């Protein structure tokens, strides 16, 4: 049996978990994509179990990413995740066998990328330039 050529190896689809902390454009990954938008909330609202606004904003981010991928001809699925981004990643990985994690967000996303790389032992990267969303 011959070894696969470089072209054949590149054609193997991967599973990419996109963690949408912020609103930024992202290159359309090759393969299966799951977008998770954590329902980011302030500690006071979380303590008071007031998560309606956080879930609404997360759903808005999620829709923006799914539309962005659809415009590029890529089918992606998504869900609103736990307010703790690391827990949202862990929850997603129980049902989606990711080969890599892409975290979209600002400077805080870099810290999350380091923590996720250590915890899940998956290639993890961060990207994030602002994307304006229509209300």
């Amino acid at each position: 049996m011959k070894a696969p050529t470089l072209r054949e190896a590149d054609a193997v689809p991967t599973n990419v978990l996109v963690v949408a902390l912020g609103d930024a454009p992202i290159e359309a990954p090759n393969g299966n994509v799951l977008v998770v938008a954590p329902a980011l909330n302030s500690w006071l609202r979380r303590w008071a179990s007031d998560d309606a606004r956080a879930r609404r904003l997360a759903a808005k981010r999620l829709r923006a990413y799914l539309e962005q991928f659809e415009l590029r001809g890529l089918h992606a699925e998504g869900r609103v995740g736990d307010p703790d981004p690391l827990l949202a990643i862990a929850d997603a990985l129980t049902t989606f066998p990711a080969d890599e994690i892409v975290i979209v967000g600002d400077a805080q996303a870099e810290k999350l990328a380091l923590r996720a790389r250590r915890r899940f032992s998956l290639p993890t990267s961060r990207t994030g330039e602002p994307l304006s969303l229509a209300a």
Side-chain angles (χ1 to χ4, degrees):
M1 185 166 134
K2 71 175 194 167
T5 65
L6 184 56
R7 288 186 196 273
E8 291 170 348
D10 286 345
V12 174
T14 58
N15 293 328
V16 181
L17 176 62
V18 175
V19 182
L21 296 179
D23 306 319
I26 180 174
E27 289 298 315
N30 180 23
N32 303 313
V33 177
L34 175 65
V35 180
V36 173
L40 304 172
N41 212 352
S42 70
W43 70 268
L44 182 59
R45 287 181 186 252
R46 189 171 182 185
W47 180 79
S49 298
D50 182 8
D51 68 345
R53 181 176 182 272
R55 294 189 71 74
R56 199 170 44 254
L57 292 174
K60 184 177 178 181
R61 281 194 316 275
L62 178 61
R63 278 191 307 276
Y65 280 97
L66 294 178
E67 288 171 4
Q68 188 181 147
F69 289 139
E70 185 178 317
L71 287 173
R72 295 180 181 167
L74 178 72
H75 172 74
E77 295 185 15
R79 64 180 82 142
V80 172
D82 192 88
D84 178 345
L86 205 57
L87 187 52
I89 294 170
D91 290 345
L93 291 174
T94 62
T95 59
F96 184 76
D99 297 312
E100 67 177 296
I101 301 170
V102 176
I103 299 173
V104 185
D106 57 13
Q108 291 291 358
E110 188 64 38
K111 292 177 186 175
L112 177 61
L114 289 172
R115 291 174 58 206
R117 193 175 302 121
R118 286 185 195 125
R119 179 167 176 186
F120 304 112
S121 300
L122 288 171
T124 305
S125 59
R126 180 192 72 87
T127 185
E129 292 181 28
L131 169 72
S132 65
L133 296 175

